[in-house]
Amino acid sequence: MSITYLEAIRLAQQRALAEDPRVFIYGQDIGAFGGAFKATKNLAKEFPGRVLDAPISEDAIVGLAIGAAVEGMRPIVEMQFADFSTCGLNQIVNQAATLYYRTGTPCPLVVRLPSGGTPGGGPFHSQSMESLYAHYPGLVVMTPATVEDVYTMLLEAVALDDPVIFCEHKFLYYHLKAEKLPEEALPFGKARITRPGRDATVVAYSAMVHEALAAAEELSQDGYDIEVVDLRTVKPIDTDTILASVARTGRLLVVSEDWPWGGVAAEVIARVAAEGFGLLDAPPQRLNARETPVPYHPALWGTHRPTASSVANSLRQLLEL
Amino acid sequence: MTKGSSPVQTISSQALGNGRNGTGRVTKEIARRAFRTMLEARILEEKLAALYRSGKIVGGVFLGRGQEALSVALGVHLRRGDIYAPLIRDQAGRLAFGDTILDTLRTYLGSSLGSMRGRDGNIHRGRPSEGYHAMISHLGAMVSTVCGGLVAKRFRGETGAVGATCIGDGGTSTGSFHEGMNMAAVEKLPMVVVVANNQFSYSTPNDRQFACGDLLTRAAGYGITGRRAIGNDLIDCLEVIGEAVAAARAGEGPQLVVADLLRLVGHSEQDDASYIPAALKESPLGRDCLDIAEDQLLENEWVTDTELSSWRAAVKAEVEETVGKVLREPAPDPAEEDWNAFSVVGRNLSGEDEE
Ligand SMILES: Cc1ncc(C[n+]2csc(CCOP(=O)(O)OP(=O)(O)O)c2C)c(N)n1
């Protein structure tokens, strides 16, 4: 039996509900219907009263989760699409994120964001929002790239006392499969060297890890040995693992499906430039989505986001610098 | 829907007349406590204004002068285990709910010993883990937060608790307020939302704020009970809000209380409120709730003149003494500050504090 990325999300929530009576799930169409993507399929039946349909009120959905978290619950909010979380932005960044610093009361909640582009998704069902949320102090931002990680990291998110923005990638929902789910996980906030190499480092996260791996495979045909680092959690960021990798390879490309301005890729480059300038043999590079809204048509979308071939091109250029 | 056609819009105390002094649920004991707390709020706020003028308070000072009766009426009807999210003009309600003159002054004066430790100030204070929510500035945001606290209690099987919040006429225009009210109604939560309709949102008059004429008609739209109180009449506020809290506690679902009144100060201490017409100030709406309440208590012989002067003297002394104490307390030290917004668990796991 193989388990998809999406099923791993469902199973993590099932386990969280089973193991912790403080957990409940709140979001649109997630009850009997099982959610727009079926990430809560059958959970309302299995855990009566703990998987609740919400009105189309993202602000109040997050507000309710905050109030419940303050009272000691562990709410998981499902946004129907990451893009709609902007309607709950105020509660996330101004109330959830500030609560512990202001009052000393922790705010343990998880906001699940079905993120990133899929063919035909268009401008309002495709966004990557990790950089936006990572900007605000007080939010943990997770961006799992594998079936195993999406399972263990969602459980980790529920266990954390801080608000967690959980960016799960829709493009990976059905594509990725694993034979079984792990019991062990990397420590919280640790990046993973997914593919070791010596000629250049690609730092990526979420769906871009897979584009980076495919590009690395392509370049191996030409004799290059590319290291791929999966950030896993973009905030807090594991600068140590990034710097150690750059120390081995001397070259850095950061790949992100998000837009370039003030994003995670920019942050990684800023950190490496400031803390590891001497490790670099070439100027650090980044490859982001293009600077337009995410286009609808698959032909445009496929060029808007970084892909294995555009990552491979960027790597070739980097290797010649 | 035409005004008054809703089956759930129940009480208009104005329609019932204002002859409620000493009747109904308002006991001598509650009225005395409420009045004494109003006095504390008024005297404390006068001191806050003075401290602001003398440069001892930085940032803003937002006072509830003229709104103490409405505010306190909610605070005195809540009890331990309830959830309370006060807003800008709720010094009286806060004190009734258990906040103190000491912590108010510590927060305004930035003492590191206050509940906010210099990290937030003035009205943005609370102890969320004790059911006393610390408002964020964004108006309307606390409605759904209170919903969440009540949902948590429901999950735990705790019954009998009430959640309450207040808002101004202007705040009712936010999307956040609408979403929260609708959510409370859908979940049938034991919640009381008090709208202090002081006719202006900062400088904006109500005819530029909403077009429904009477905010109470909104209750029908949400499918909840609406009640009207006379905002500067302590006995009326106590009675109407007492009934609203009791109804919510009894499982009758969310209660919207709308009360007309005026704020007798500017929006903040930098605002002279010159936009409020003199005729309105001289109308019954402009009467000071503290004067009305004093008359009501004396009329009912619930308090004597001598008692009143000794209360005043005692509160003044407490405020002065507390100011003296707090002014000697340490300010937060940037070198000692824990510059980390993550909780202890998150921080230990992240290792970011090593930097
Ligand atoms: C969402 C939001 N927008 C703007 C403000 C700035 N602001 C603070 S108080 C205020 C007026 C509020 O009026 P009202 O709700 O009627 O309460 P009142 O001040 O009259 O008590 C405004 C506009 C805010 N705090 N929140």
XYZ file of all heavy atoms in Angstrom, chain A residues 193 195-198 200-203 227-229 239-252 279:
200
model
N 20.036 17.504 4.119
C 20.795 17.388 2.864
C 20.150 16.228 2.119
O 20.380 15.065 2.437
C 22.276 17.087 3.134
C 22.795 18.048 4.200
C 23.067 17.078 1.826
C 23.784 19.036 3.833
N 20.394 15.514 -1.119
C 21.332 14.890 -2.055
C 22.696 15.526 -1.824
O 22.849 16.739 -1.978
C 20.845 15.164 -3.488
C 21.775 14.627 -4.563
C 21.363 15.173 -5.933
N 22.412 14.822 -6.899
C 22.227 13.952 -7.885
N 21.064 13.387 -8.087
N 23.230 13.667 -8.698
N 23.668 14.743 -1.427
C 24.990 15.327 -1.196
C 25.720 15.582 -2.511
O 25.492 14.871 -3.500
C 25.726 14.265 -0.364
C 24.966 13.002 -0.537
C 23.633 13.298 -1.130
N 26.551 16.616 -2.525
C 27.303 16.933 -3.738
C 28.461 17.838 -3.397
O 28.618 18.240 -2.246
N 29.292 18.186 -4.398
C 30.438 19.038 -4.073
C 30.585 20.253 -4.984
O 31.335 21.173 -4.688
C 31.729 18.221 -4.052
C 32.002 17.474 -5.330
C 33.273 16.637 -5.279
N 33.187 15.502 -6.184
C 33.023 15.571 -7.504
N 32.913 16.727 -8.106
N 32.942 14.489 -8.247
N 28.036 22.467 -6.348
C 27.168 23.619 -6.046
C 26.069 23.154 -5.089
O 25.711 21.981 -5.062
C 26.541 24.183 -7.323
N 25.558 24.128 -4.339
C 24.451 23.857 -3.410
C 23.172 24.463 -3.972
O 23.178 25.636 -4.363
C 24.730 24.510 -2.037
O 25.886 23.903 -1.471
C 23.539 24.364 -1.100
N 22.097 23.668 -4.014
C 20.777 24.253 -4.268
C 20.005 24.193 -2.959
O 19.821 23.115 -2.397
C 19.978 23.480 -5.338
C 18.641 24.190 -5.602
C 20.764 23.363 -6.625
N 19.586 25.349 -2.464
C 18.708 25.387 -1.296
C 17.285 25.532 -1.816
O 16.998 26.436 -2.615
C 19.074 26.543 -0.349
C 18.013 26.713 0.722
C 20.437 26.297 0.294
N 24.638 19.433 -4.707
C 24.064 19.158 -3.379
C 22.708 19.862 -3.281
O 22.571 21.021 -3.677
C 25.014 19.672 -2.289
C 24.504 19.446 -0.874
C 25.643 19.229 0.127
O 26.527 18.374 -0.133
O 25.630 19.908 1.166
N 21.709 19.143 -2.755
C 20.382 19.747 -2.589
C 20.035 19.779 -1.101
O 20.033 18.745 -0.426
C 19.303 18.965 -3.372
C 17.915 19.556 -3.106
C 19.605 18.986 -4.871
N 19.762 20.980 -0.603
C 19.368 21.167 0.796
C 17.874 21.491 0.836
O 17.423 22.424 0.176
C 20.168 22.313 1.460
C 19.679 22.552 2.886
C 21.653 22.016 1.438
N 20.314 28.082 9.346
C 21.450 28.725 8.661
C 22.707 27.856 8.733
O 23.507 27.828 7.799
C 21.719 30.113 9.295
O 20.475 30.796 9.424
C 22.658 30.943 8.435
N 22.873 27.142 9.831
C 24.091 26.323 9.999
C 24.240 25.289 8.893
O 25.321 25.116 8.326
C 24.072 25.603 11.355
C 24.233 26.576 12.507
O 24.570 27.747 12.230
O 24.004 26.173 13.664
N 23.148 24.578 8.603
C 23.222 23.539 7.569
C 23.504 24.162 6.201
O 24.264 23.615 5.399
C 21.912 22.724 7.554
O 21.787 22.073 8.821
C 21.906 21.675 6.449
N 22.909 25.336 5.944
C 23.138 26.018 4.665
C 24.614 26.415 4.549
O 25.266 26.155 3.539
C 22.249 27.279 4.550
C 20.769 26.906 4.598
C 22.570 28.055 3.269
C 19.832 28.097 4.795
N 25.135 27.016 5.606
C 26.529 27.480 5.563
C 27.493 26.303 5.425
O 28.476 26.377 4.681
C 26.856 28.288 6.826
C 26.235 29.691 6.879
C 26.447 30.322 8.254
C 26.822 30.595 5.792
N 27.181 25.205 6.120
C 28.062 24.033 6.037
C 28.079 23.490 4.608
O 29.119 23.066 4.095
C 27.584 22.958 7.015
N 26.928 23.532 3.959
C 26.853 23.051 2.585
C 27.649 23.965 1.649
O 28.421 23.500 0.807
C 25.392 22.965 2.143
O 25.315 22.611 0.785
N 27.446 25.281 1.826
C 28.164 26.233 0.972
C 29.676 26.116 1.212
O 30.480 26.263 0.286
C 27.653 27.671 1.213
C 28.489 28.688 0.458
C 26.189 27.780 0.791
N 30.054 25.801 2.433
C 31.487 25.610 2.737
C 32.049 24.449 1.911
O 33.200 24.474 1.492
C 31.679 25.345 4.228
N 31.238 23.444 1.656
C 31.698 22.291 0.856
C 31.720 22.596 -0.638
O 32.593 22.132 -1.365
C 30.765 21.089 1.085
C 30.977 20.371 2.404
C 30.198 19.059 2.456
N 28.747 19.253 2.520
C 28.083 19.499 3.645
N 28.727 19.585 4.793
N 26.783 19.664 3.632
N 30.729 23.381 -1.110
C 30.567 23.528 -2.565
C 31.053 24.871 -3.111
O 31.397 24.963 -4.287
C 29.085 23.391 -2.959
O 28.360 24.488 -2.380
C 28.495 22.075 -2.470
N 31.015 25.926 -2.310
C 31.460 27.252 -2.760
C 30.477 27.983 -3.659
O 30.711 29.122 -4.048
N 29.389 27.307 -4.022
C 28.425 27.954 -4.924
C 26.999 27.718 -4.422
O 26.687 26.624 -3.971
C 28.551 27.387 -6.339
C 29.747 27.927 -7.078
C 30.042 27.171 -8.344
N 31.451 27.328 -8.670
C 31.929 28.328 -9.417
N 31.119 29.222 -9.951
N 33.220 28.425 -9.627
N 26.167 28.787 -4.566
C 24.814 28.702 -4.003
C 23.759 29.181 -4.993
O 23.859 30.278 -5.554
C 24.711 29.573 -2.734
C 23.313 29.720 -2.124
C 22.787 28.382 -1.587
C 23.318 30.765 -1.014
N 33.111 31.915 2.044
C 32.948 30.529 1.587
C 32.585 30.468 0.106
O 32.635 29.415 -0.514
C 31.828 29.831 2.376
C 31.941 29.852 3.903
C 30.658 29.318 4.526
C 33.147 29.037 4.355
